[in-house]
Amino acid sequence: MASTLSLRLVSPEKEVFSGDAASLVAPAWDGMVRILPGHAAYITLLGHGELAIDLPGGGSETYYVAGGVL
């Protein structure tokens, strides 16, 4: 099983983040969802709120999202 996620976060204008992540927490349309390495295939609509990317070496990056698809 992989120890990281390969993640790309894109907006209509540009790629915002591309790289490995230890985990991801995002606002789905019906509540918060956490994605870990090895997660089953999953698709959902995004809601509005903070999307947090936990980085493999420690630390995190946060972004505000207002809709989209995960």
Side-chain angles (χ1 to χ4, degrees), residues 8-55:
R8 282 183 55 216
L9 179 61
V10 295
S11 75
E13 294 81 29
K14 64 181 180 177
E15 184 174 81
V16 178
F17 176 91
S18 179
D20 290 335
S23 68
L24 168 74
V25 178
W29 69 275
D30 60 348
M32 298 300 284
V33 62
R34 180 176 203 102
I35 307 293
L36 299 169
H39 197 284
Y42 181 76
I43 188 168
T44 189
L45 294 174
L46 288 172
H48 297 237
E50 186 177 280
L51 181 145
I53 301 168
D54 292 325
L55 302 173

